[in-house]
Amino acid sequence: MTSDSTENRTAGAAPTGGAGHGAFYATTPIFYVNAAPHIGHAYTTILVDVVTRFHRLKGDDTYFLTGTDEHGENIQKAAEAHGETPQQYADQVSGEFRSMWDRLGIGYDDFIRTTEPRHKKVVQEVLQRVYDNGDIVYGEYAGLYCVKCERYYTDKELVDGKCPQHEIVPEYRTEANYFFRMEKYRTWLRDLLNDQPELIRPARYRNEVLAMLREPVGDLSISRPRSRVPWGIPLPWDDEHVTYVWFDALINYYSALESKGLTERFWPHVEHFIAKDIVKPHGLFWPIMLKAAGIPLFKHLNVHGYWLIDDRKISKSLGNAVKPLDLLEKYGNDAFRYFLIRDMPFGLDASFTEPAIAERINADLANDLGNLLNRTLGMLGRYRGGKVPAAGPVEQADQELIDAFLGLPEAVTRQFDALQFDRALEGVMEAVRKANKYIADTKPWELAREEATAARLDTVLNTLVEALRCASVLLEPVIPERAVELRRQLGLTDDHHDLASAARWGEVPAGTLTQPGDPLFPRIDLAGLAEQLGGGAAAAPVVLEHKDEIEYGDFGKLELRVVTVEKAEQHPNADKLLVLTVRMGAETRTIVSGIKAHYDPAALVGKKLVAVANLKPVKLRGIVSQGMILSGEGPDGALGLITLERDLPDGSEVR
Ligand code: MSP
């Protein structure tokens, strides 16, 4: 679809889901081929896989695109360092991404590589169109350039003179480039984001883009001289220049469809998924590029936070990249997916640790879900020869459980549309826990003792089987393989279980013979894991020395509040201090905090912390601190900031 209309037909109000059959087109970023896939890349790709599977379950016409970003100076340099041509190098690393996605069971429909002719052709067409419209001009550029980001930085964007992403000093460069006239569209984009607040979500990232749009955005350099950077797509009107990586890369979302004749079918439904590192190109460059090329905008730009390890960004240069495969082999694909989706509230950063994975698997999957299945199968075996009985009369306790499950498809759909994936899983698990409680309440073992309560027992067992069937359908996007295994153990071989089937009760034919098997999710030995991870045997608990008791009223004098860190900078006069700018409802405060040795300032931005809000202001090395950030201190002096288990607005009171 190369419509001339520049109207944005799709962005904004419409949810991604809703009832009935729609279409859904989801994309991951295309990943650079200068580093092997790590857990961060795996997360976005697994997330898009989950969301696409969910839409498929709903009956939507779905399409899932991922791929690799292969041009540019950085990749050229990485190839040289490996003694390979850029193409050889790109082939190899792109292959690693594909085999990783295969191992992770990612069901993408297309994998695009920017070095493919089908992509280059569309990039050149789009460039030519924008050039013909007069939105690309020739000029001279001078500035500070980070070769790893492949972009120029303004002084303001640098942290201590370094690129905030890679922590390296950018190079000063001047060169003749072609420029995309972005500034011309600034007010258009600002107005659009005000009219369609959902276009970039969650709101914090839309606000980030709006903040960029408050000042001139300048024009975007979109080419490099071919003499210096041969590894790129030549501009169609001047082959002495090649396309700057972003103009090349972003177009993949469109070229993949164009090259397969799928634009009409899927482009109006495009949902981009990215992390917060690439909000600027996606939230600023991309909509303006689309507008200038006369292509309708994406439906939503969905931005998630970072997985952090020890509160630092995962990266090859920091040496903390976790290879997805190592964990996959240890915990199994489905459990690993479950952890990633359950433990990251969309939009916020989350901490990645192996004990957290193990604890989550034990609590939700082995305990709640696995137990429910085991107990149900065990009771069916003991009391009904392994066959699912027809339900007898339904009583209030049964109906309550039935209602809890039957409300889930709608709730989960709403939560998926609102990007609340963690909540959706939590909702399903809450119902699963209710089912476990229902066993405790109805006491099937007592019902089994007397013939008079046989029909009651039938209802209870049948209700449990139905509950498990519904749970398996709702969890299938996240645990695709185990969901099928769960149903297999229930004796259900018919594989057509769509979302609508989870909104119906009484689908399991009476007399179905169950097939108990191995535990769905084996329990992880946490103590063993702690030992493996170097913690050794658990240390003896420390005998604590307590302070004097206080009255509740004393405690009530403290005003503790949730704050959002907006800025974190090194204190100009003190090595160990950070100066935080935090938001607390309508207020912004400066808090000086002694956490420099423990936290990287960049990793704190966007975090929600807890602060003492009514502490008398005090000047710390020349800067007035208006409060105090709370943290815990370990025996070795390591600090752990107090964060929230669930997202709450800043300003919320903590008691
Ligand atoms: N090639 C560009 C994107 C072009 S898209 C038109 C690029 N590539 S990248 O290899 O650096 O990938 C960045 C993306 O990887 C993030 O936006 C996110 O999807 C994923 N992640 C990388 N590190 C991550 C974390 N630590 N946590 C979560 N996701 C992360 O930028």
Side-chain angles (χ1 to χ4, degrees):
M1 184 167 43
T2 52
S3 132
D4 282 329
S5 146
T6 50
E7 197 188 333
N8 170 20
R9 304 185 314 169
T10 51
T16 51
H21 305 309
F24 184 75
Y25 168 41
T27 68
T28 71
I30 47 170
F31 302 108
Y32 287 133
V33 290
N34 56 355
H38 64 56
I39 205 83
H41 309 122
Y43 170 72
T44 317
T45 312
I46 288 172
L47 177 74
V48 173
D49 187 64
V50 166
V51 181
T52 311
R53 281 176 196 264
F54 180 75
H55 279 267
R56 209 174 298 139
L57 203 64
K58 263 176 63 189
D60 286 350
D61 184 20
T62 61
Y63 203 72
F64 170 5
L65 174 73
T66 187
T68 40
D69 189 354
E70 306 186 1
H71 286 128
E73 206 168 347
N74 219 12
I75 285 148
Q76 195 178 300
K77 281 187 183 158
E80 276 161 22
H82 282 80
E84 290 177 358
T85 65
Q87 189 66 60
Q88 283 168 334
Y89 184 68
D91 286 349
Q92 187 229 315
V93 183
S94 177
E96 277 177 41
F97 273 94
R98 253 165 306 152
S99 53
M100 181 63 75
W101 299 162
D102 289 347
R103 294 289 300 274
L104 288 169
I106 304 294
Y108 58 78
D109 294 291
D110 192 3
F111 188 103
I112 191 154
R113 303 182 53 190
T114 52
T115 50
E116 287 177 89
R118 62 169 175 147
H119 171 71
K120 294 186 196 171
K121 179 169 165 276
V122 178
V123 169
Q124 290 191 326
E125 279 166 15
V126 172
L127 276 167
Q128 187 69 53
R129 211 180 318 151
V130 178
Y131 183 65
D132 292 344
N133 289 344
D135 283 339
I136 292 178
V137 293
Y138 195 65
E140 170 96 351
Y141 190 88
L144 293 166
Y145 186 84
C146 171
V147 283
K148 294 227 168 174
C149 298
E150 312 245 22
R151 77 166 175 96
Y152 285 93
Y153 272 91
T154 61
D155 283 341
K156 240 178 30 198
E157 287 175 308
L158 299 175
V159 175
D160 295 336
K162 291 182 184 166
C163 156
Q165 299 286 338
H166 298 99
E167 301 175 18
I168 55 170
V169 178
E171 297 172 9
Y172 181 77
R173 286 193 180 175
T174 58
E175 57 191 26
N177 284 172
Y178 282 92
F179 288 86
F180 174 47
R181 298 179 62 200
M182 228 166 41
E183 176 59 22
K184 179 179 146 188
Y185 293 96
R186 177 161 66 99
T187 52
W188 164 80
L189 183 57
R190 188 196 58 202
D191 295 346
L192 184 76
L193 290 180
N194 284 324
D195 285 354
Q196 299 181 343
E198 288 274 282
L199 188 63
I200 300 175
R201 55 186 194 172
R204 52 177 22 202
Y205 299 111
R206 162 181 164 265
N207 293 339
E208 231 175 67
V209 177
L210 277 172
M212 295 172 201
L213 291 167
R214 250 174 245 135
E215 288 169 33
V217 292
D219 290 340
L220 179 69
S221 157
I222 60 142
S223 70
R224 297 288 174 266
R226 197 176 184 172
S227 53
R228 189 170 62 74
V229 189
W231 190 236
I233 303 177
L235 300 183
W237 64 89
D238 180 352
D239 68 5
E240 286 309 303
H241 290 262
V242 298
T243 325
Y244 161 78
V245 286
W246 283 107
F247 220 99
D248 169 350
L250 287 160
I251 292 173
N252 89 87
Y253 301 132
Y254 182 69
S255 67
L257 293 187
E258 274 288 276
S259 64
K260 298 208 167 178
L262 291 170
T263 311
E264 295 264 354
R265 183 163 149 207
F266 289 114
W267 186 256
H269 310 282
V270 54
E271 296 279 343
H272 297 309
F273 288 84
I274 60 166
K276 63 182 187 181
D277 54 340
I278 47 179
V279 166
K280 186 170 183 179
H282 282 79
L284 181 65
F285 309 168
W286 185 222
I288 295 181
M289 280 167 65
L290 289 167
K291 167 82 173 163
I295 301 170
L297 293 210
F298 44 84
K299 217 167 148 181
H300 299 107
L301 174 64
N302 306 297
V303 187
H304 64 75
Y306 268 150
W307 281 104
L308 301 174
I309 296 182
D310 301 330
D311 282 295
R312 311 236 342 156
K313 205 188 138 190
I314 304 170
S315 88
K316 203 171 130 186
S317 48
L318 293 174
N320 62 356
V322 179
K323 293 210 186 89
L325 266 194
D326 297 349
L327 294 163
L328 190 64
E329 270 157 24
K330 205 156 163 188
Y331 298 108
N333 203 356
D334 285 9
F336 177 58
R337 289 164 68 100
Y338 183 87
F339 166 76
L340 290 179
I341 305 302
R342 173 63 188 85
D343 277 51
M344 176 175 267
F346 195 90
L348 301 178
D349 290 350
S351 219
F352 187 96
T353 69
E354 242 194 278
I357 301 183
E359 277 163 31
R360 179 60 75 190
I361 294 174
N362 280 357
D364 290 17
L365 300 176
N367 259 0
D368 295 343
L369 185 66
N371 264 349
L372 181 63
L373 177 67
N374 275 350
R375 296 167 82 188
T376 304
L377 292 175
M379 292 190 293
L380 282 166
R382 277 195 298 283
Y383 311 137
R384 292 293 180 262
K387 286 191 183 156
V388 180
V394 170
E395 295 186 2
Q396 194 189 336
D398 316 319
Q399 196 57 50
E400 278 172 14
L401 189 68
I402 296 172
D403 291 344
F405 274 88
L406 290 186
L408 285 176
E410 205 201 302
V412 169
T413 302
R414 208 174 344 100
Q415 285 157 330
F416 263 63
D417 287 345
L419 307 171
Q420 294 168 340
F421 310 109
D422 58 332
R423 300 252 191 101
L425 290 183
E426 178 51 19
V428 177
M429 282 304 157
E430 217 176 284
V432 165
R433 284 193 289 272
K434 275 190 188 143
N436 276 318
K437 182 163 181 297
Y438 169 82
I439 300 181
D441 292 345
T442 54
K443 302 190 177 61
W445 49 93
E446 287 180 6
L447 301 175
R449 280 190 212 132
E450 298 186 32
E451 196 43 43
T453 45
R456 180 80 202 112
L457 179 60
D458 284 349
T459 304
V460 170
L461 294 177
N462 181 285
T463 305
L464 290 169
V465 170
E466 288 292 331
L468 278 160
R469 176 188 60 81
C470 290
S472 83
V473 174
L474 291 158
L475 293 172
E476 185 160 337
V478 184
I479 52 166
E481 192 255 329
R482 295 281 88 189
V484 171
E485 169 61 12
L486 193 167
R487 291 199 293 268
R488 194 198 64 75
Q489 295 200 17
L490 290 179
L492 302 175
T493 47
D494 171 12
D495 243 353
H496 185 67
H497 295 273
D498 56 8
L499 192 64
S501 72
R504 291 190 298 263
W505 209 254
E507 293 270 293
V508 180
T512 298
L513 184 61
T514 55
Q515 312 281 337
D518 289 340
L520 213 49
F521 293 96
R523 201 158 228 302
I524 294 152
D525 163 19
L526 294 180
L529 177 68
E531 211 159 308
Q532 237 179 57
L533 295 177
V542 179
V543 180
L544 303 175
E545 255 182 65
H546 295 288
K547 295 185 180 164
D548 292 342
E549 246 174 32
I550 57 166
E551 295 293 333
Y552 184 76
D554 294 330
F555 171 73
K557 287 185 193 155
L558 269 179
E559 184 187 338
L560 302 175
R561 292 202 186 264
V562 175
V563 297
T564 304
V565 179
E566 288 195 323
K567 221 160 79 185
E569 286 171 334
Q570 167 73 55
H571 191 300
N573 314 318
D575 277 356
K576 293 195 178 133
L577 299 179
L578 287 183
V579 182
L580 307 180
T581 307
V582 302
R583 200 176 54 227
M584 184 191 296
E587 286 168 52
T588 303
R589 292 201 186 182
T590 302
I591 296 184
V592 178
S593 181
I595 52 174
K596 174 69 208 304
H598 309 267
Y599 287 91
D600 170 30
L604 293 172
V605 176
K607 257 196 191 309
K608 291 226 169 120
L609 304 175
V610 175
V612 185
N614 60 340
L615 199 63
K616 199 171 184 172
V618 44
K619 207 182 236 183
L620 294 170
R621 298 283 190 107
I623 296 185
V624 177
S625 181
Q626 303 160 300
M628 186 178 118
I629 295 291
L630 296 187
S631 62
E633 186 172 353
D636 54 355
L639 294 189
L641 286 167
I642 309 297
T643 55
L644 299 176
E645 183 269 334
R646 164 166 299 167
D647 190 30
L648 296 174
D650 53 59
S652 302
E653 200 167 343
V654 178
R655 281 191 280 258

